[in-house]
Amino acid sequence: QLQLQESGPGLVKPSETLSLTCTVSGDSISSSIYYWGWTRQAPGKGLEWIGSIYYSGASYYNPSLKSRVTISVDTSRNQISLRMTSMTAADTGVYYCMRDRRTDGGNSVRMLDPWGQGMLVTVSS
Amino acid sequence: EIVLTQSPGTLSLSPGQRATLSCRASQSVSGSYLAWYQQKPGQAPRLLIYSTSTRATGIPDRFSGSGSGTDFTLTISRLEPEDSAVYYCQQYGYSLYTFGPGTKVDIK
């Protein structure tokens, strides 16, 4: 059964850099039809996609966050990582790791499934 | 960027009733790239419907999706108490996923 587990510091100081890791078990991160990505949710708010990465390293980012975000992949550890710089209080929220299915052609699809349980990140001094 | 709006903001219904949730896009969306998610308090979102109308694995058939172009609908045919949640629509376009603001379904 596929599982995704986020890990990292739950508290980050303003202006510092957030680093989170997502460990995937039950599937290979090198699977050819899947990307792997991050979405976040501010307290009491909706969902915001951050970005996704393919095992080859090809990546896509939300333009609103692109200047501050780097997503990387480590196939040997079956992990992806998120790095977000210049954190502010507005970045406080739950950060989710998820599998991003992208297929094209006759059965073209884009969907995010499944999701990790999420990690609460608080930006505060 | 394609902006999604959802209505109503909150839906308060009784068990056994039918719920109709609307998702409207600021421009035409590929039906293959329209999905719905359910999120219960303290939990991660769960995929319900993808490609407008295909139920995800394990999703009961009381959940159905329809629509095209800029107007999409999630229908819950016979509400059960465990359907109380926030429902989000999602689209993919211009290399970007965006979500609607959500519809909260309260089961009275």
Side-chain angles (χ1 to χ4, degrees):
Chain A
Q1 181 183 356
L2 177 65
Q3 290 189 318
L4 298 89
Q5 181 67 58
E6 303 88 348
S7 60
L11 181 64
V12 178
K13 289 183 169 56
S15 80
E16 292 193 343
T17 295
L18 170 69
S19 294
L20 295 178
T21 297
C22 173
T23 301
V24 178
S25 57
D27 192 9
S28 170
I29 209 162
S30 301
S31 178
S32 62
I33 61 171
Y34 297 122
Y35 280 64
W36 305 85
W38 296 91
T39 294
R40 69 179 183 176
Q41 185 171 37
K45 302 297 184 184
L47 300 165
E48 181 179 34
W49 175 73
I50 298 171
S52 297
I53 192 165
Y54 197 52
Y55 74 93
S56 65
S59 57
Y60 294 90
Y61 297 109
N62 189 323
S64 68
L65 297 169
K66 187 174 183 177
S67 64
R68 298 195 294 132
V69 170
T70 303
I71 297 175
S72 57
V73 61
D74 185 338
T75 55
S76 66
R77 297 187 176 190
N78 228 35
Q79 291 177 336
I80 64 167
S81 296
L82 169 69
R83 185 173 179 270
M84 184 178 291
T85 62
S86 306
M87 295 286 283
T88 71
D91 296 312
T92 292
V94 177
Y95 286 71
Y96 295 100
C97 170
M98 71 284 169
R99 187 174 66 178
D100 177 354
R101 180 169 178 174
R102 300 179 179 220
T103 57
D104 294 303
N107 291 317
S108 187
V109 70
R110 297 289 188 274
M111 61 184 188
L112 305 172
D113 176 65
W115 298 54
Q117 65 185 26
M119 173 134 197
L120 175 62
V121 174
T122 302
V123 183
S124 175
S125 55
Chain B
E1 174 180 331
I2 297 175
V3 176
L4 299 177
T5 56
Q6 292 186 242
S7 60
T10 301
L11 205 48
S12 188
L13 295 168
S14 299
Q17 286 192 298
R18 180 186 190 92
T20 302
L21 287 65
S22 173
C23 176
R24 182 159 292 176
S26 59
Q27 57 186 283
S28 186
V29 171
S30 167
S32 298
Y33 297 168
L34 193 288
W36 292 90
Y37 300 82
Q38 176 193 65
Q39 187 178 34
K40 297 181 179 180
Q43 295 186 17
R46 177 176 73 146
L47 178 69
L48 292 177
I49 301 282
Y50 64 94
S51 299
T52 298
S53 59
T54 304
R55 278 187 299 277
T57 302
I59 301 304
D61 60 7
R62 66 178 183 275
F63 290 92
S64 63
S66 62
S68 65
T70 60
D71 291 296
F72 297 87
T73 300
L74 174 69
T75 302
I76 312 172
S77 60
R78 300 170 305 279
L79 281 166
E80 306 229 353
E82 62 264 29
D83 298 333
S84 182
V86 178
Y87 293 83
Y88 295 96
C89 57
Q90 162 251 295
Q91 71 81 39
Y92 179 87
Y94 301 108
S95 301
L96 170 67
Y97 283 99
T98 59
F99 296 88
T103 290
K104 183 177 182 181
V105 175
D106 281 331
I107 312 296
K108 294 182 286 191

